[in-house]
Amino acid sequence: PLLAQHHHPRATEATTKYFLTQATAAAMLLFASTTNAWLSGQWEIQQMTHPLPTTIITLALALKIGLAPLHAWLPEVLQGLDLTSGLILSTWQKIAPFALLLQINAPTPLMLISLSLLSILVGGWGGLNQNQLRKILAYSSIAHLGWMVLVLQFSPSLTLLTLSLYIIMTSSLFLSFKTNKTTTINSLATSWAKTPTLTLLIPPILLSLGGLPPLTGFMPKWLILQELTKQDLAPAATVAALSALLSLYFYLRLCYAMTLTMSPNTIINTMPWRLPS
């Protein structure tokens, strides 16, 4: 109901896609739990020992949060929503699946690592050719989820730290775009004329999401890479670090569009500060 509150065909379409995806994931979760009860006689989530139900439940939760290769619904759904609903979908909706993921003994470390590395890559590549801010934020979400799941089985507390920082940064970004009423890269160029203060605040948030030191977003990435090298997973750490450069490129692109360009659709004479209020 929250997603479909705007009676608009695009919002209805996004809500339907979201409903079908979540219903599929919920059905997979039920199937995994009944399979687990059938194989082991246990209903508790911590008691899942058989690899089959743990694999199914991990894939179901990956579909729920939008991990690659089960990510295709997320950019489509987010693009059809307004920024407030998009904020709820990107932050609050991730908490419940993560609460389950943290309690599961992963079937094989390799499965989660490959899912997460693929997510970081897809999140980087996918956002490169987008003009719509909501789609860029969706791909950014996929990449960040990859980072969280990458370290999930080695250090759950680090995953929680990354998730909480991601929620804080994404919330501030969505709320800034909502205040500015911007949904495309082109409309970012008029930000300075609308709200100069926000134009100064948004680039540091974007670069923080990209993981540049000395900003907040650098800390979880650094700690995750450190943890991976401790676990002798240097190749995975290298791939993740290099893939983060892709995401950083489109965050820089947004910063550039916001601070260093004039909007192609606006004549200087019609800019808000030229008009008498």
Side-chain angles (χ1 to χ4, degrees), residues 15-225:
T15 311
T16 312
K17 284 177 180 171
Y18 181 69
F19 172 72
L20 291 172
T21 311
Q22 297 298 318
T24 309
M28 282 172 73
L29 273 172
L30 277 171
F31 177 64
S33 55
T34 45
T35 310
N36 185 57
W38 176 48
L39 290 168
S40 64
Q42 293 284 347
W43 282 100
E44 284 88 358
I45 191 166
Q46 280 98 347
Q47 305 291 336
M48 296 183 73
T49 48
H50 199 281
L52 178 65
T54 39
T55 305
I56 296 171
I57 206 167
T58 307
L59 287 172
L61 292 169
L63 177 60
K64 262 192 178 303
I65 55 177
L67 272 181
L70 309 162
H71 67 284
W73 63 273
L74 185 58
E76 287 299 316
V77 169
L78 206 59
Q79 180 55 35
L81 307 176
D82 65 313
L83 288 165
T84 319
S85 310
L87 168 62
I88 295 166
L89 183 64
S90 299
T91 55
W92 179 252
Q93 290 299 99
K94 305 277 186 262
I95 296 171
F98 262 102
L100 291 177
L101 264 175
L102 286 164
Q103 297 176 66
I104 294 167
N105 302 316
T108 51
L110 187 65
M111 180 186 168
L112 279 184
I113 289 171
S114 44
L115 276 177
S116 48
L117 286 178
L118 189 59
S119 295
I120 298 170
L121 270 167
V122 165
W125 280 121
L128 290 180
N129 63 343
Q130 299 297 336
N131 279 327
Q132 299 289 334
L133 292 179
R134 282 163 294 182
K135 277 198 175 173
I136 287 177
L137 287 167
Y139 282 110
S140 152
S141 173
I142 294 165
H144 277 89
L145 289 169
W147 279 94
M148 291 170 216
V149 175
L150 189 55
V151 80
L152 185 74
Q153 54 210 336
F154 308 119
S155 173
S157 52
L158 196 46
T159 297
L160 280 175
L161 171 75
T162 316
L163 179 63
S164 44
L165 284 175
Y166 165 73
I167 287 175
I168 292 165
M169 292 187 290
T170 305
S171 305
S172 47
L173 202 56
F174 264 102
L175 293 170
S176 307
F177 287 152
K178 188 172 183 290
T179 311
N180 257 355
K181 296 185 176 62
T182 47
T183 51
T184 60
I185 292 185
N186 270 359
S187 59
L188 272 181
T190 58
S191 300
W192 182 258
K194 288 180 193 164
T195 47
T197 326
L198 270 183
T199 314
L200 293 174
L201 285 175
I202 295 176
I205 301 172
L206 284 166
L207 295 176
S208 184
L209 274 168
L212 273 190
L215 301 162
T216 319
F218 172 63
M219 179 180 61
K221 286 196 165 87
W222 183 23
L223 293 172
I224 289 170
L225 292 175

